[in-house]
Amino acid sequence: MDVVEAYRTVVPEGAAALARATFNALRKPDFITFTSSSTVRNFVDAAGAETLRGVRAVSIGPVTTRTARCLGIEVAAEARVYTIEGLVEALLAICETGPLTV
């Protein structure tokens, strides 16, 4: 049996500094979306889970959610259908709950 790599997640140069600057700013983003376990791990390696305090995380599915929680990220919503469209639906549904209060 041959194994073929379908895709590879690569962290762009300067991403860590940009992530830290964005998520350590006085006005943070309201949300962050994660589309795979590797994006969660790469974010935590770059900026640390603690930088997401006050930011609602939305996950594409249960495997990604499990990875996020294991790395100390609270997941506010998870897509029911594990696609980008499902992720957008989960994000829109959580937006209906109103502003985040920390």
Side-chain angles (χ1 to χ4, degrees), residues 11-92:
V11 180
E13 188 175 318
L18 181 59
R20 284 190 302 273
T22 300
F23 289 93
N24 285 320
L26 289 176
R27 173 124 168 80
K28 294 182 178 193
D30 294 316
F31 301 95
I32 187 169
T33 59
F34 290 110
T35 56
S36 67
S37 290
S38 62
T39 61
V40 176
R41 284 189 294 274
N42 288 339
F43 182 88
V44 170
D45 288 346
E50 66 282 350
T51 61
L52 294 181
R53 211 166 292 123
V55 177
R56 289 186 276 189
V58 183
S59 165
I60 198 164
V63 174
T64 304
T65 295
R66 187 170 31 256
T67 301
R69 288 182 175 147
C70 285
L71 293 174
I73 296 171
E74 182 181 335
V75 176
E78 179 181 288
R80 289 187 192 145
V81 179
Y82 317 140
T83 62
I84 296 300
E85 292 81 9
L87 184 65
V88 170
E89 286 177 15
L91 179 60
L92 292 173

